[in-house]
Amino acid sequence: MNLIPNGIDHISEELTVLEPNSDMNLISNVIDPISKEQSVLEPNLGNLADFPSSKHGRNGYSFNVFLLQVISGYSHLFRNSPLYCFWVSYVPFVILKKAEAVEALISGTKHMQKGWSYNWLHSWLGTGLLTSYGSKWKSRRKLLTPSFHFEILKDFLPIFNEQSQILVKRLQKETTKDSTDIVMPITLCSLDIICETTLGITIGAQENSDSQYVKSVIRAGEIIMERMVNSWYWIDFIFNFMEAGRELKHHLKILHNFTLSVIYEKKRKLLSGDPNLGSQRKRKALMDLLLEHHVQTKDLTEEDIREEVDTFAFEGHDTTSMGMSWALYLIGLHKNVQEKIHEELDRIFGDDIERPVSTEDLKDMHYLDIVLKESLRIKPSVPIIARQINEETVICGYRIPKGASCLVYIHDLHRDESVFPNPEKFDPDRFLPKNSVNRHPYAYIPFSAGPRNCIGQRFAIMEEKIVISTILRNFSIESLDQRDKIPPAPELILRSSLPIRMRIRPRQRRQS
């Protein structure tokens, strides 16, 4: 049996082979090399000895920015290995970065339990579809899967289109400004979409970003992310007595009460025979479907419904909004790509910038489709997924002991040079059918893969296409900072460490 390559035996002066003008060219200028002697003197740090200890030493960037870059440096060192071991103090993490290793871990039903870091979401999401495992996960997945059938999703097209048009009106106010941080407008649009499709209510986040629900959604997510990177916050007893813990409890109470109030009101109407919630209604939000199941079978409690609705409200807006933000940023960096998208949209819609996007239009957006795929390759919304190993297993000839934590490092999996030559280059043509033949099915997994793949990936793709196509039918965009100026920070999702500044202008169409 092979020994797992061990990151603790390497030193950071070897972590400097990085592509120019990429997300990763910051580390070689900032991290001071550490000698083997220093590594021996600080064994309790593990590979964390490669991190600058102060924010000044990190040029002002957060710890998370360097987490991504240091792990990417090790992935380069072990580029010929399917996996390696990264130590956080005395805790080992097995990092998988080759398609065959990833397939061995997540393709079957043997390793279905998420990593321990997901436990921090329990206070918000309970044990819904994202965090549950075993029989509970299996029954919930079976129950929820029909809700994401394409024929069901088609009924949500009017919501996607309506909210996209509201976003366009908001962005029109930005066309006279020198720059706009695109993340918040996109996030509020996505939040409106997910609340209307999941809860079946309109919260008007785009028109009222000061609403308490919107503030609590955003702030609760921020605090949970802060907890992940602050070891003092890892211990529940300590965290709950700290200011951040008390603030999180406050916001979660607001969110849970809001969701439960909607559940109680909809249940009351359903039991009273309100025709708006009956079987005659064609378009049903996820909550409506769960409530009907609750009333008819008693299998789900009201708390079970809250778990799933909150899970989709959290997952469905956060991952998709950053996916769209990164896609717009990359499109704004590459004028030739943007021109091709504009040409495709003009062929589909002509000069009509208000016609709603139809399912047939979505099928015709071939170039935009491969642009979004390439964007998710370079900037996967979820950069890392974790699994707990509950029985000894062998992956690519390496023995993984029971109790180990395995991390699928999607960010670097998508940068495997043997699969994606010149991986830092933004090249949508990689995903043309002729260039995708014989590609390993686990080499590109922006929505994970296997039994625990993202149940909402069709929803996300549909939303991204409609929102981005609506924006680009109306505007030309220009990204103002190169990729090395805004290095990404991995949290539960891949965020920007700095504002994503764009210049937005009305489109100037060519005269025929």
Side-chain angles (χ1 to χ4, degrees):
M1 204 67 65
N2 295 322
L3 293 175
I4 300 175
N6 197 343
I8 203 69
D9 297 330
H10 290 77
I11 56 176
S12 64
E13 60 189 336
E14 298 178 80
L15 304 181
T16 59
V17 186
L18 299 158
E19 294 290 333
N21 195 31
S22 75
D23 301 337
M24 297 293 123
N25 76 345
L26 169 79
I27 189 173
S28 59
N29 299 323
V30 182
I31 290 187
D32 296 324
I34 179 171
S35 69
K36 282 194 174 182
E37 288 75 14
Q38 287 175 300
S39 183
V40 171
L41 289 172
E42 302 180 27
N44 58 311
L45 292 178
N47 294 115
L48 294 182
D50 281 329
F51 288 73
S53 59
S54 68
K55 200 163 186 178
H56 174 74
R58 299 193 297 262
N59 277 7
Y61 289 106
S62 71
F63 174 87
N64 273 20
V65 168
F66 282 82
L67 175 64
L68 186 75
Q69 297 196 21
V70 168
I71 294 178
S72 292
Y74 276 110
S75 292
H76 182 81
L77 285 177
F78 299 118
R79 56 191 173 277
N80 296 320
S81 300
L83 49 81
Y84 64 93
C85 187
F86 186 91
W87 291 80
V88 177
S89 186
Y90 294 101
V91 180
F93 291 88
V94 180
I95 296 182
L96 285 63
K97 60 184 186 60
K98 290 282 188 178
E100 59 271 22
V102 173
E103 180 180 22
L105 179 71
I106 68 175
S107 62
T109 58
K110 187 176 180 182
H111 310 295
M112 298 284 280
Q113 185 176 350
K114 294 293 184 75
W116 54 267
S117 59
Y118 287 80
N119 293 344
W120 290 319
L121 290 169
H122 286 176
S123 61
W124 185 355
L125 310 180
T127 52
L129 193 65
L130 174 66
T131 54
S132 61
Y133 64 96
S135 59
K136 180 174 183 177
W137 174 85
K138 188 175 181 180
S139 63
R140 293 287 176 89
R141 178 81 182 207
K142 184 177 180 180
L143 171 64
L144 293 168
T145 295
S147 302
F148 293 89
H149 188 278
F150 182 71
E151 291 301 315
I152 299 293
L153 295 181
K154 284 199 303 185
D155 293 336
F156 293 146
L157 279 175
I159 296 174
F160 294 150
N161 279 297
E162 179 184 355
Q163 296 301 335
S164 296
Q165 289 295 339
I166 293 173
L167 175 61
V168 163
K169 291 178 181 177
R170 175 173 177 151
L171 293 180
Q172 284 172 347
K173 300 175 183 178
E174 304 294 316
T175 56
T176 58
K177 298 180 180 179
D178 290 335
S179 69
T180 299
D181 182 359
I182 198 65
V183 176
M184 186 52 68
I186 296 294
T187 298
L188 295 176
C189 176
S190 185
L191 187 57
D192 272 337
I193 287 172
I194 201 66
C195 283
E196 197 164 347
T197 55
T198 301
L199 282 80
I201 62 170
T202 302
I203 65 168
Q206 295 191 84
E207 297 161 321
N208 182 23
S209 58
D210 290 330
S211 78
Q212 187 57 59
Y213 179 80
V214 172
K215 288 180 178 178
S216 291
V217 168
I218 294 172
R219 185 58 188 142
E222 289 174 348
I223 295 172
I224 289 173
M225 304 311 173
E226 290 168 10
R227 187 176 188 186
M228 293 187 70
V229 299
N230 188 333
S231 58
W232 281 105
Y233 287 179
W234 289 6
I235 302 171
D236 288 339
F237 178 78
I238 295 177
F239 177 73
N240 291 335
F241 278 96
M242 299 182 78
E243 182 179 352
R246 294 194 300 270
E247 185 184 358
L248 178 62
K249 184 178 180 180
H250 166 74
H251 289 298
L252 293 184
K253 183 178 180 180
I254 291 171
L255 296 175
H256 290 165
N257 287 345
F258 178 83
T259 305
L260 287 170
S261 68
V262 176
I263 291 173
Y264 297 150
E265 179 62 17
K266 282 181 173 283
K267 181 179 178 180
R268 184 189 65 77
K269 290 182 177 180
L270 181 62
L271 293 175
S272 67
D274 190 323
N276 290 325
L277 292 173
S279 58
Q280 295 180 352
R281 180 182 176 188
K282 185 179 180 184
R283 188 177 77 216
K284 295 181 181 179
L286 177 65
M287 181 183 286
D288 298 323
L289 296 168
L290 293 175
L291 268 174
E292 288 182 5
H293 186 82
H294 161 72
V295 170
Q296 294 167 6
T297 70
K298 311 299 182 185
D299 286 346
L300 294 176
T301 67
E302 291 165 349
E303 182 62 19
D304 290 334
I305 296 173
R306 186 204 62 75
E307 285 181 345
E308 298 303 346
V309 170
D310 281 349
T311 293
F312 282 97
F314 167 71
E315 268 205 291
H317 95 272
D318 223 11
T319 55
T320 308
S321 61
M322 279 313 304
M324 290 189 287
S325 298
W326 284 124
L328 288 167
Y329 167 72
L330 290 167
I331 291 168
L333 278 182
H334 298 86
K335 188 176 180 180
N336 60 324
V337 170
Q338 186 172 174
E339 287 176 350
K340 289 181 180 179
I341 297 174
H342 279 152
E343 290 170 3
E344 178 174 81
L345 295 178
D346 289 348
R347 287 195 300 271
I348 297 171
F349 298 99
D351 292 334
D352 191 342
I353 60 176
E354 295 184 355
R355 177 169 72 78
V357 179
S358 68
T359 54
E360 291 305 312
D361 297 331
L362 292 173
K363 294 175 185 177
D364 290 337
M365 295 179 188
H366 302 294
Y367 188 70
L368 180 57
D369 184 67
I370 63 174
V371 169
L372 294 180
K373 286 179 177 177
E374 175 70 346
S375 173
L376 284 170
R377 182 189 70 83
I378 288 181
K379 305 283 193 181
S381 296
V382 180
I384 301 172
I385 57 177
R387 294 289 172 85
Q388 196 72 19
I389 303 300
N390 291 325
E391 58 180 278
E392 183 176 302
T393 190
V394 176
I395 296 178
C396 296
Y398 297 89
R399 183 178 65 84
I400 312 296
K402 178 181 177 180
S405 293
C406 286
L407 305 181
V408 177
Y409 195 32
I410 297 175
H411 182 272
D412 276 10
L413 173 71
H414 287 179
R415 286 166 165 76
D416 185 344
E417 294 186 23
S418 65
V419 181
F420 301 106
N422 194 8
E424 291 295 343
K425 181 182 179 182
F426 182 70
D427 181 12
D429 287 352
R430 297 180 200 273
F431 291 94
L432 289 171
K434 65 179 181 180
N435 295 330
S436 302
V437 177
N438 299 323
R439 182 177 294 153
H440 195 293
Y442 283 78
Y444 175 74
I445 54 168
F447 297 100
S448 188
R452 293 208 71 152
N453 68 342
C454 175
I455 193 174
Q457 58 184 288
R458 282 182 173 177
F459 181 103
I461 292 170
M462 184 180 291
E463 178 180 342
E464 289 197 18
K465 279 189 172 182
I466 291 176
V467 172
I468 290 178
S469 66
T470 302
I471 291 172
L472 293 178
R473 286 161 66 187
N474 286 270
F475 305 109
S476 295
I477 57 177
E478 178 188 359
S479 298
L480 301 180
D481 299 294
Q482 292 298 315
R483 284 169 54 190
D484 58 330
K485 301 301 181 184
I486 49 171
E491 295 170 353
L492 282 178
I493 62 172
L494 191 69
R495 297 188 183 276
S496 171
S497 56
L498 295 170
I500 298 181
R501 301 187 312 135
M502 308 194 74
R503 184 174 291 123
I504 303 171
R505 296 292 182 264
R507 275 199 59 191
Q508 303 293 323
R509 285 178 168 79
R510 296 174 181 174
Q511 299 297 321
S512 57

